Amino acid sequence: MGSGSSSSSDRAMAAFLLLCKNSQLLLVLISLLIFHLSPAAARQLLTDGGSSTLNSPPATTVQYHNGPLLGGKVSVNLIWYGRFKPAQRAILSDFITSLSASSSTGSVVGRPSVASWWSSNIGKYYSLAVVEGSKKKPLSLSLALGTQVLDESYSLGKSLTMKQIVALAAKGEQNYAVNVVLTAADVTVEGFCMSSCGSHGSSRSAGSATRFAYIWVGNSETQCPGQCAWPFHQPIYGPQSPPLVAPNDDVGLDGMVINLAGLLAGTATNPFGNGFFQGPKEAPLEAASACSGVYGSGAYPGYAGELLVDPASGASYNAHGVDGREYLLPAIFDPSTSSCSTLL
């Protein structure tokens, strides 16, 4: 009876492991195990011959739904809601400028650069859309910093709904533009810190037949930095590791850069909800959100991956921007390899 029971248990365990092999449950179990391991031991567990097993998402693909991608020469307009210091505004505006910075524009930027992060990753989606959509000519997108609107008087109060976020976004130019609403650290927004660190979508003004794209990102420094500014703050759950030093010496704004970068990628490749995404349209996995938490090669839960470290400040980053800026940017899902693409 003992041997029969053991055999049945073995078969049950084998079936269970087979079921878990390609499922999210296995990742959860591994994450729980990592929590009790040292960083070195965890890295060894998750690597095999130098290749990470969690640097790529589970077997998946970001599908093209035959809708339009953002195209043409597009201005990124910044709408600052609440009080931001000039130095804080410069961090984000320099990031937008860095997206198209090159020697041809008179900018001297080190490598890897913000511009190469954008062109090498997002460009693949445009090439794929041409093939699958049978377009006669390649799509192209050129982003540039547009106008900046300051609302330091909190005209709608300090607790905003998403409807009010859209109303703020409508203050910017709506033709060939992406309007980015940036809320200060003392502003609460519907869903912020509970279900999101920011969002993107599209809307149209009254009497207009044309939809415009918008993005919202909040400053999480005093509300939920462990959720929206990781790895520059201790995470609120999961494997714990020391926070990294923020490259621009501002945990909240450096976190906003990460979230804005990911949402810009989603806006470019899925501006109106029928572009590139996986899963339900209401809660899609997009170009950046499909690789959440990955910033460098060898990343795993609680570890951002291999990054560059500034010898003077000790700050961690993976991309150079204009005027000597350093930024940490998220990995982007590569539709040609179905894996997360990192700069390092």
Side-chain angles (χ1 to χ4, degrees):
M1 181 175 178
S3 60
S5 176
S6 175
S7 177
S8 297
S9 298
D10 290 344
R11 286 196 297 270
M13 179 59 71
F16 174 77
L17 292 175
L18 182 62
L19 177 63
C20 289
K21 184 177 181 181
N22 295 311
S23 71
Q24 294 287 350
L25 178 59
L26 183 57
L27 295 183
V28 173
L29 293 174
I30 292 175
S31 296
L32 291 173
L33 176 59
I34 294 171
F35 182 82
H36 297 284
L37 296 177
S38 67
R43 186 186 307 186
Q44 184 176 0
L45 172 68
L46 292 173
T47 56
D48 180 13
S51 61
S52 170
T53 59
L54 287 186
N55 191 41
S56 302
T60 185
T61 181
V62 175
Q63 298 176 335
Y64 182 44
H65 296 77
N66 299 314
L69 276 59
L70 209 61
K73 295 182 178 180
V74 174
S75 295
V76 180
N77 303 314
L78 304 181
I79 300 162
W80 302 90
Y81 189 82
R83 294 190 179 93
F84 289 87
K85 298 175 183 178
Q88 292 180 314
R89 295 199 297 267
I91 292 171
L92 280 176
S93 60
D94 284 350
F95 165 67
I96 299 300
T97 301
S98 298
L99 288 168
S100 56
S102 66
S103 57
S104 62
T105 61
S107 301
V108 179
V109 179
R111 289 189 174 277
S113 68
V114 174
S116 63
W117 169 82
W118 181 261
S119 60
S120 63
N121 287 309
I122 304 304
K124 294 178 181 179
Y125 285 85
Y126 283 75
S127 298
L128 189 58
V130 170
V131 173
E132 294 190 6
S134 299
K135 303 288 184 181
K136 292 184 178 180
K137 61 180 181 180
L139 294 167
S140 63
L141 172 64
S142 175
L143 297 179
L145 179 64
T147 59
Q148 299 191 54
V149 178
L150 303 184
D151 186 341
E152 296 182 306
S153 64
Y154 303 87
S155 61
L156 299 179
K158 292 188 175 183
S159 180
L160 305 179
T161 64
M162 286 310 301
K163 185 176 180 179
Q164 290 174 310
I165 290 292
V166 175
L168 288 170
K171 291 185 176 183
E173 175 60 45
Q174 297 176 17
N175 293 322
Y176 290 97
V178 175
N179 294 332
V180 181
V181 178
L182 303 158
T183 51
D186 57 349
V187 177
T188 61
V189 178
E190 178 184 355
F192 187 40
C193 295
M194 292 182 288
S195 59
S196 70
C197 302
S199 62
H200 79 88
S202 64
S203 185
R204 61 166 57 94
S205 296
S208 174
T210 304
R211 301 187 71 85
F212 68 92
Y214 68 86
I215 293 172
W216 157 67
V217 179
N219 185 346
S220 67
E221 183 173 16
T222 60
Q223 297 184 54
C224 57
Q227 178 178 342
C228 296
W230 185 84
F232 302 128
H233 190 279
Q234 202 81 12
I236 59 175
Y237 56 83
Q240 300 293 302
S241 57
L244 304 180
V245 177
N248 294 285
D249 197 29
D250 192 312
V251 170
L253 268 292
D254 278 301
M256 291 182 80
V257 169
I258 292 173
N259 295 315
L260 176 56
L263 289 166
L264 269 175
T267 299
T269 57
N270 187 33
F272 307 115
N274 54 2
F276 283 94
F277 67 91
Q278 183 215 17
K281 183 178 180 179
E282 297 74 21
L285 281 180
E286 298 178 321
S289 57
C291 295
S292 179
V294 178
Y295 299 95
S297 60
Y300 55 78
Y303 174 63
E306 296 291 338
L307 303 173
L308 299 173
V309 177
D310 187 295
S313 66
S316 296
Y317 68 101
N318 60 7
H320 294 271
V322 298
D323 297 330
R325 290 283 189 191
E326 297 167 346
Y327 295 105
L328 183 64
L329 304 179
I332 298 295
F333 186 85
D334 187 334
S336 63
T337 62
S338 293
S339 64
C340 293
S341 175
T342 62
L343 283 170
L344 301 172

